[in-house]
Every structure is written in structure tokens, then in C-alpha cells.
Amino acid sequence: MAHVEPQTRHRRRALLSQTFALLCLAATALCVLILIVLLLEVLWQGLPRLNPRFLMGSMSRFPEKAGILPSLVSSLWLIGLTTLFSVPIGVGSALYLEEYAGPSRWRHLVQLNIANLAGVPSIVYGILGLGLFVRTFALQRSILAGALTLSLVVLPIVILAAQEALRAVPDSIRRASYALGATRWQTVWYQVLPAATPGIMTGVILAISRALGEAAPLVALGAATFITFVPVSPLDEFSALPVVIFDWSSRPQTDFHQVAAAGIVVLLTVLILLNATAVYVRYHYGKRIRW
Amino acid sequence: MGEARTVTMELSHHVELRVTLMTDMVTQRMTLPVRPHIVPRDRPVRSPDELAGHPAKISVSHLNFFYGEKRALADVSLEIPQHCVTALIGPSGCGKSTFLRCLNRMNDMIEDTRVEGDVLLDGNDILGPRVDVVELRKRVGMVFQKSNPFPKSVFENVAYGPRVAGIRQKAVLFEIVEKSLTRAALWDEVKDRLDDSALQLSGGQQQRLCIARALATNPDVLLMDEPASALDPASTSRIEDLIFELRDRYTIVIVTHNMQQAARVSDRTAFFYQGELIEAGSTNELFTNPTRKQTEDYITGRFG
């Protein structure tokens, strides 16, 4: 084969490089496009129904009277209690595994299991919750039982994220603390944990978002798709946003599909508010932590 | 102006003299008698006679250290005199840093290690299982190779040692922070930035902050593991000046790869090679007239 001019080779390389960049751009554009279409579709269907009566109203078998307040409040109860249960236990476990437990086969086994648990389908947790919390602990189909079940779903996520955040704290910080005569407890509490807080927060928000969007375990648990009162205590019966959205969208009347779209808008709004809080908290803490 | 005077008063006799000298050079009015032995080294080194007058602060005898099966220190015996700078030199992996970490038991944190022999601090054993390691580390401070300030404010960095030791009163803490930063020759640069993040300081400032942080627990001994190896020449020179100023109050042990640095700052030098202590003696002696062939080869740059 004849000698290829350096210029030609250069052009060919540049072309290849541009093509690849273009392909990546196309992939990104496709994702964004799908997202935009979905959002527009939901907004177009849901916005007309999104009025005070819908937000403050209760469930109804007539689409024009259907409201979302009971399930919205249920969902807020659920994620509040889930956070309360899963964060201390999750962060505690992560601290033990990262800062205290020595490298042993037992630790390795636990670690492997947590990673596996994060991948278990949530409906399995729902069935576990039904047997354990609803029946054995006799909590009935209460918010408490739902929150405990959701805590099981998100615990592996919280633990893994917190472990990741703790691992990202440089060892030099721990050494410096020990060298100043700090105990292990002081080192963890005053140095490692504050430095890992932004990372842990991210994991927690991710977990809460997951809990907010879960319908399957709650359905397995027997969450109501139709409640007409706003729950006021953790022992009340409950519903949840994804559960009623699922119910509405599976009804034959097309009017209910619009109601479901409005429900989705509410769910997304709550999600975005949660994430915004997370970003703010992260920023607020992160400002003081720069490696 | 007031600050400058405080600093001058805090510093040792020699430095006060140097500051005066510099002022005089600028004004070109009068000359102070310059002591001849200052000239070659820029700082007075302690003569062997003078060294003999310093009691041993730390005495190490027959120290062996193992990482798993690998022996990192072999039968090391060394006396570290009080209020002197002792430099540990030697090629990479010769055990000098391991030796340093034995002196405040930082090796305890490394898995699968074993230590044999005796290390006495003021005549008391520090390797025994009943020794309070937390208390030991307050008396034997440490500065690391890479500056490692906490991701907190300058004030909180220095106050951390006293805080974990149980001091709560803000006024007392502030006093300690000011004193430590002054001794670390950093107060004037950071006194208006105490609430800023320590990570916003320059590299040299961060390392001096780490020194201040170590001084805040009021230690007797200061261990330095290549404290200037990651710094530019100007910052290195400031750290060296600082070491020199600190030696009247603290017993300093410094690990360094830089032989000129050892020669510049230390009173005594110990040469390690392959886990053994080959030779230790007054810095002048060791660098001008080494008794062992390996020492001579190393300091003349034939290996290492």
C-alpha cells in the first residue's frame, strides 16, 4: 500500500474523533428528549386537573371529585418515618463497618450481603413486611408498618452510600487526629463524620426518593388504594402517592388518567423539593470542606 | 508593631540576634559582633560538649520492628537528647520513618505489626500494653510529610488537640491557639483569618499550621516526618528556621531525605540503612568525618 500522507491521516483521526463525540451527543440528546416528551405529556394531561380542589380533596369514585390529600399526607408520613428509622441505623452500620470492624471474613460476608440486599426487588421486602410487621408485630396495615418496610428497602442504599462517603475521607485526617491524642470515638465524631456528611446526605436523599416512589412493597403490604381521611398518627391506615397513581391509571375511564397525570405532577414536585433541599444542605456543609 | 515585638520576645536568643542584625544591615549604621561559628551554617550548631550536657529525653534500646514477617528495624539503640534536633537520614525504606512512628506508637494503627525492645521517654517505658497511648501522643506530637489540616477553620485546627483533651473555655482555647500559632511563626499571617478554612492557606502555611496544631497539646517531643519535602524552597527555609527556633523548648526528631537539610537544622544525626542504625553522632562529626564506610558513601551521594 502506498504511503499515506500525514495530512490525510490527521484528517481521518479528526473525523473519527468528531464522529465519536457526535454519537455521545446523540445518546445524551435522546435521553433528554424522552424525558422532555414524558414531562410535557404528563403536564399537558395533568395541569388542567391540578387545582386546589384536587390538592385538598379526598378520594372519590368520580374522577372530577377525586383529590390527593390523603395519599400525599400518607407519603410524607412514610418518608419522614423511613428517614427516622433508616438514617441512624444505616449510618451506624456504615460507621461500624468502615471505622471499627477489622478486615475479617465475617466482615467481608456482611459487606457482600448488603450489596446483594440493595439489589433485591422491593416486592420481596413487601412480603417480608407483611409477615413480620403487619402480622407478627401486629402493627396492622399502619403507616408504621409501611415505614418499617420501606426502611428495609432503603437501608442497603443508605449503608452503601455512607460507606462510600466515609471511605472518601482521607486517612491522613484520621492519623492527624490520633497523633493529637484523640480517641477513636473523638476522631470519628469530630473529624470523620463531619467530613463525610455531604456524601452521606446524598445517599440519604437518594434513598428517600426511592422510598417516595416505591409502590410495590406497599401494595404487597396491603396499603389502601382508597382512603377518605387524612392520616394523623403512625398507626392509621394509609395510602401513598405511587399507589393511588397506579390505581387511577389502571381504571378504564380516561378522566381518571388525567387525574393520575395530576398525581404524577404532585409526586414529581415533592421529589424535586426533596432534592433541592439535599443540594442546599450539601452545599451548605460542603462549603467548609475542600480537600 | 506590637505584634512584631511579641514575636521577637517569644523567639530564642539567637533569632533575636539575627533579626537585629538584619535591621542593622538595612540601616547600615553599626555592626554587631558576629560570632564566628554562626557564619558557615547561618545557625549555631551545638558542639559535642554542649550536647553531652543534654540528658537523654528518649532512649531506645534493642528496638526491633516487624511488618508481618519482614523485619523493618533491627536492634536499633539510640539516645535522643533533650532540647536538641536529631535528624534521621537514610535511603528510602531504611526504617527511619518506622523508627519515628515507634516513638508515639503510630505504628499501632498498622495491621499485623510487632515491636520488640525498649523505648523510654523520661525513663518510662512507652511500648508496654498498659501505656495510655492517648496521653503519650499528647506528649509526643507529630507532623506529617504531607500537610494534613482538618477541613475546618484555622482556629478549630489548632484548638482540636486541647479540645479533645477536655478544655472547653473559649478564652483558654484562644490563648493556646494564639501561643501555638505564634510559636509556629504563623500568627501574623493568619490572625485575621482564624475563621477561614485551613485549606485556603498556602502549602507552606498549612504545614506550619500542622506544626502549630501539634504544639497546641503542649508536647515535650515533636516528631517530624519529612516536614518540608512537599514544599518549595522558600517555605522549606521557613520551616527550617522554625525548627531551629523550637529546639530550645522541644526535643525534635526529624526524618529527612535531604542531607543538606539534616546538616542545616540538626544537632545530632543518625544514619539508617536497611533497618539498622549504622552510625549516630553529632551532625558536624557525622558529615565531616563519618566512621563507617556506608555512611560516607551515602552522604557523598554514592548511593541512596
Side-chain angles (χ1 to χ4, degrees):
Chain A
M1 179 155 162
H3 172 70
V4 185
E5 289 297 315
Q7 222 174 351
T8 323
R9 257 195 317 193
H10 174 76
R11 211 176 297 149
R12 198 181 298 162
R13 269 202 306 250
L15 195 71
L16 191 70
S17 172
Q18 277 171 357
T19 315
F20 186 69
L22 222 62
L23 280 173
C24 292
L25 179 70
T28 314
L30 188 71
C31 293
V32 174
L33 199 72
I34 293 173
L35 190 71
I36 288 174
V37 168
L38 267 175
L39 270 179
L40 284 182
E41 162 86 9
V42 165
L43 286 175
W44 182 71
Q45 279 208 3
L47 275 184
R49 311 267 338 176
L50 208 63
N51 47 40
R53 193 162 155 198
F54 174 73
L55 288 175
M56 304 308 291
S58 193
M59 305 285 283
S60 165
R61 58 200 175 87
F62 304 108
E64 62 277 5
K65 282 193 192 162
I68 202 162
L69 191 64
S71 46
L72 176 61
V73 174
S74 295
S75 270
L76 294 179
W77 266 108
L78 283 173
I79 56 170
L81 288 175
T82 303
T83 314
L84 204 65
F85 299 142
S86 62
V87 171
I89 298 175
V91 174
S93 314
L95 273 177
Y96 178 75
L97 288 171
E98 284 304 309
E99 304 293 325
Y100 289 89
S104 65
R105 193 177 298 181
W106 183 79
R107 200 206 113 147
H108 187 71
L109 195 74
V110 170
Q111 186 70 61
L112 199 71
N113 273 300
I114 291 172
N116 280 334
L117 284 177
V120 168
S122 51
I123 186 115
V124 177
Y125 288 105
I127 292 163
L128 175 69
L130 180 67
L132 193 66
F133 301 127
V134 176
R135 303 236 169 98
T136 311
F137 291 172
L139 292 175
Q140 309 305 326
R141 289 163 182 177
S142 61
I143 289 179
L144 192 58
L148 286 168
T149 308
L150 286 178
S151 299
L152 291 183
V153 177
V154 301
L155 249 180
I157 305 174
V158 175
I159 295 175
L160 290 176
Q163 276 189 293
E164 205 60 53
L166 290 170
R167 247 177 264 147
V169 177
D171 253 347
S172 63
I173 295 298
R174 296 180 182 86
R175 277 201 296 274
S177 177
Y178 287 125
L180 288 168
T183 60
R184 184 178 285 227
W185 149 252
Q186 288 166 331
T187 302
V188 167
W189 188 251
Y190 294 114
Q191 299 298 345
V192 179
L193 206 52
T197 299
I200 293 176
M201 282 306 293
T202 312
V204 166
I205 293 302
L206 211 71
I208 296 174
S209 306
R210 168 95 190 264
L212 186 64
E214 279 293 351
L218 298 178
V219 171
L221 210 64
T225 50
F226 195 93
I227 58 170
T228 49
F229 59 91
V230 173
V232 290
S233 107
L235 292 173
D236 282 346
E237 264 194 67
F238 69 104
S239 184
L241 287 175
V243 175
V244 294
I245 290 168
F246 171 69
D247 179 58
W248 282 330
S249 56
S250 58
R251 291 189 185 209
Q253 302 97 316
T254 42
D255 275 3
F256 266 117
H257 298 172
Q258 288 175 10
V259 178
I264 292 171
V265 174
V266 172
L267 181 65
L268 285 180
T269 310
V270 176
L271 262 177
I272 289 167
L273 281 179
L274 269 180
N275 282 323
T277 321
V279 170
Y280 174 76
V281 171
R282 237 186 102 91
Y283 174 74
H284 185 73
Y285 271 93
K287 252 194 314 201
R288 283 174 289 156
I289 300 169
R290 294 261 182 282
W291 303 118
Chain B
M1 219 27 232
E3 305 306 334
R5 257 182 52 205
T6 339
V7 176
T8 324
M9 279 158 55
E10 284 280 336
L11 303 182
S12 71
H13 171 69
H14 299 301
V15 176
E16 226 172 301
L17 188 70
R18 278 200 309 154
V19 172
T20 328
L21 268 174
M22 275 157 50
T23 326
D24 290 337
M25 281 191 291
V26 173
T27 53
Q28 289 185 338
R29 255 186 294 147
M30 51 180 283
T31 46
L32 273 182
V34 178
R35 284 185 293 173
H37 68 269
I38 297 183
V39 181
R41 211 176 87 130
D42 180 34
R43 308 185 179 102
V45 64
R46 286 185 172 134
S47 66
D49 294 344
E50 224 181 326
L51 279 175
H54 287 268
K57 181 74 183 174
I58 302 175
S59 36
V60 179
S61 44
H62 307 294
L63 187 70
N64 286 289
F65 192 86
F66 300 86
Y67 291 106
E69 288 302 302
K70 190 177 164 289
R71 182 145 102 166
L73 288 175
D75 200 34
V76 173
S77 299
L78 181 66
E79 304 262 293
I80 293 165
Q82 189 167 28
H83 295 174
C84 287
V85 179
T86 303
L88 311 178
I89 61 168
S92 299
C94 68
K96 54 193 191 306
S97 291
T98 304
F99 178 82
L100 192 74
R101 287 196 301 268
C102 283
L103 304 181
N104 69 344
R105 302 230 344 222
M106 284 299 272
N107 284 324
D108 289 13
M109 294 165 60
I110 307 171
E111 303 282 336
D112 196 25
T113 56
R114 189 158 52 91
V115 61
E116 292 166 359
D118 289 310
V119 178
L120 305 180
L121 173 66
D122 291 331
N124 301 316
D125 173 47
I126 62 166
L127 294 184
R130 296 180 59 190
V131 173
D132 182 355
V133 181
V134 165
E135 205 48 51
L136 169 71
R137 289 181 186 149
K138 279 173 195 149
R139 290 185 58 197
V140 183
M142 189 166 201
V143 176
F144 297 84
Q145 176 175 9
K146 197 168 163 289
S147 62
N148 52 357
F150 300 126
K152 301 189 171 203
S153 70
V154 171
F155 182 89
E156 285 304 323
N157 262 276
V158 184
Y160 182 67
R163 258 196 223 280
V164 298
I167 296 175
R168 296 256 178 278
Q169 303 97 310
K170 193 88 179 167
V172 179
L173 283 174
F174 188 84
E175 203 178 305
I176 294 173
V177 169
E178 176 172 357
K179 197 174 78 183
S180 308
L181 284 170
T182 307
R183 283 192 185 164
L186 191 59
W187 175 252
D188 287 330
E189 288 162 62
V190 300
K191 63 174 189 281
D192 302 322
R193 310 170 57 185
L194 291 178
D195 290 329
D196 286 5
S197 166
L199 299 164
Q200 287 169 5
L201 301 179
S202 74
Q205 287 175 329
Q206 287 191 12
Q207 192 60 305
R208 276 180 284 145
L209 179 69
C210 292
I211 295 174
R213 187 173 68 180
L215 297 181
T217 61
N218 202 18
D220 299 343
V221 182
L222 200 55
L223 309 177
M224 298 177 144
D225 193 352
E226 300 184 47
S229 67
L231 300 178
D232 63 87
S235 303
T236 303
S237 148
R238 294 212 60 171
I239 300 275
E240 288 180 8
D241 287 345
L242 181 59
I243 292 170
F244 180 75
E245 286 154 19
L246 292 172
R247 73 169 185 179
D248 286 332
R249 287 174 193 275
Y250 305 94
T251 302
I252 298 175
V253 187
I254 174 171
V255 163
T256 177
H257 265 122
N258 181 333
M259 274 174 288
Q260 283 75 31
Q261 185 170 66
R264 282 193 302 262
V265 300
S266 70
D267 301 302
R268 269 172 68 86
T269 300
F271 171 62
F272 284 74
Y273 184 59
Q274 294 186 341
E276 285 178 53
L277 176 64
I278 305 295
E279 185 172 354
S282 104
T283 299
N284 275 351
E285 275 293 302
L286 190 125
F287 276 95
T288 53
N289 197 8
T291 55
R292 300 280 295 267
K293 177 82 169 58
Q294 286 148 309
T295 316
E296 193 183 342
D297 286 351
Y298 183 69
I299 61 177
T300 53
R302 236 165 280 169
F303 76 91

